Amino acid sequence: MKIAVAQINSTENVPENLRKVQDGVRRASEEGAGLVVFPEATMAAFGSRLYDVAVQHAETWKTEMQWLAAEQEITVVTGEFAPADDGKVRNVLAAYTPSGERLDYAKIHLYDAFGFKESDDVAPGNDPLVINVDGVPVGLALCYDIRFPKLFAEMSRKGAQVCLVAASWGAGPGKVEQWETLARARALDSNNIVVAVDQADPQVSGVQVSPKAPTGVGHSIVSDPFGQTIASFGEDEEMRVVELDLDVVEKARTAIPVLENARLGY
């Protein structure tokens, strides 16, 4: 399975972000990937007026993504915002298939931590989601979700062999180390390959974003279920096609059947 990991920085300018996605999708398709995944908040960076962005751009964004996935014959996964009740939005990771289907996961665990309160603007989702990409079950998760092992166990029990985690990780002391450790840990404790895709670090890429919002640190990482790093990124914007050997998933589940052995409701 070939996955394109697109570590980009998005801004408050939705049309500009769309052009960046279009370029990335076309390149991923040319390089033979069957799936390309972009970070959380691809549509618009945190720090934007999210409800206004969602009302104004959600439908147009959806139409453009559907057309792009069909044109390039590739599954496209992007971080988006959709209107919810009470002036809030849902923080969504949406998958667009070449056949025109759209499947979306709404972020369950909201980032009310490290002095930021996502729940002020975002309504939580409730249900895990596993999609089918060229016959491979793929789970979807967003950012803060990576701190909750049970979600990844649930996706694995639903059949997932690969879990995508799209993030706009908040910067700070030790945060890169936490991100990398959590990605490898979730692969280990769910017997899955974890593809963790972050926004690039705007301090390095030079992209203008709100200094008060979680807008990425880079360091996207792909880990196998033995905790071995398949691919790791730096801080700047970068897209890379990574080939996954799915046989390692079955090997891990045979060698370390943590989900079968689990107790205490895990």
Side-chain angles (χ1 to χ4, degrees), residues 104-263:
D104 66 297
Y105 162 75
K107 187 177 186 180
I108 294 173
H109 303 99
L110 301 184
Y111 182 58
D112 287 0
F114 290 100
F116 189 82
K117 197 166 184 183
E118 187 177 9
S119 62
D120 283 347
D121 301 303
V122 178
N126 297 297
D127 301 314
L129 178 67
V130 175
I131 65 173
N132 185 297
V133 180
D134 297 330
V136 179
V138 176
L140 304 183
L142 280 162
C143 203
Y144 194 49
D145 282 333
I146 204 170
R147 292 185 180 273
F148 299 88
K150 189 172 181 180
L151 173 60
F152 290 78
E154 287 296 318
M155 290 190 287
S156 185
R157 289 191 172 103
K158 286 177 176 289
Q161 294 177 281
V162 177
C163 288
L164 308 180
V165 188
S168 186
W169 199 252
K175 293 297 294 297
V176 169
E177 291 80 3
Q178 292 173 34
W179 164 250
E180 293 175 333
T181 299
L182 287 161
R184 294 171 67 191
R186 294 298 78 82
L188 280 162
D189 56 34
S190 67
N191 290 144
N192 271 311
I193 295 171
V194 167
V195 180
V197 185
D198 191 23
Q199 291 266 349
D201 186 341
Q203 300 267 356
V204 175
S205 70
V207 173
Q208 297 299 308
V209 294
S210 169
K212 297 181 180 180
T215 50
V217 296
H219 292 275
S220 298
I221 182 171
V222 182
S223 176
D224 79 11
F226 289 103
Q228 298 297 308
T229 299
I230 299 169
S232 61
F233 289 58
E235 299 168 322
D236 209 344
E237 293 187 294
E238 179 185 359
M239 197 191 78
R240 194 187 311 171
V241 174
V242 180
E243 188 156 9
L244 305 181
D245 177 6
L246 299 176
D247 289 344
V248 72
V249 174
E250 187 55 40
K251 290 176 182 176
R253 291 178 181 182
T254 299
I256 323 167
V258 290
L259 297 179
E260 290 183 23
N261 297 340
R263 303 179 68 184

Side-chain angles (χ1 to χ4, degrees), residues 35-99:
L35 166 67
V36 56
V37 56
F38 292 85
E40 179 184 33
T42 302
M43 178 191 285
F46 282 108
S48 308
R49 295 175 63 88
L50 297 182
Y51 185 78
D52 293 345
V53 165
V55 169
Q56 184 175 353
H57 295 285
E59 287 304 313
T60 301
W61 183 276
K62 174 182 174 181
T63 300
E64 291 291 338
M65 291 299 108
Q66 287 175 317
W67 181 87
L68 191 59
E71 180 203 45
Q72 297 299 314
E73 298 182 330
I74 187 173
T75 297
V76 179
V77 177
T78 66
E80 307 175 6
F81 298 103
D85 296 331
D86 300 322
K88 293 187 176 184
V89 298
R90 292 199 183 277
N91 186 348
V92 170
L93 191 60
Y96 299 88
T97 72
S99 65

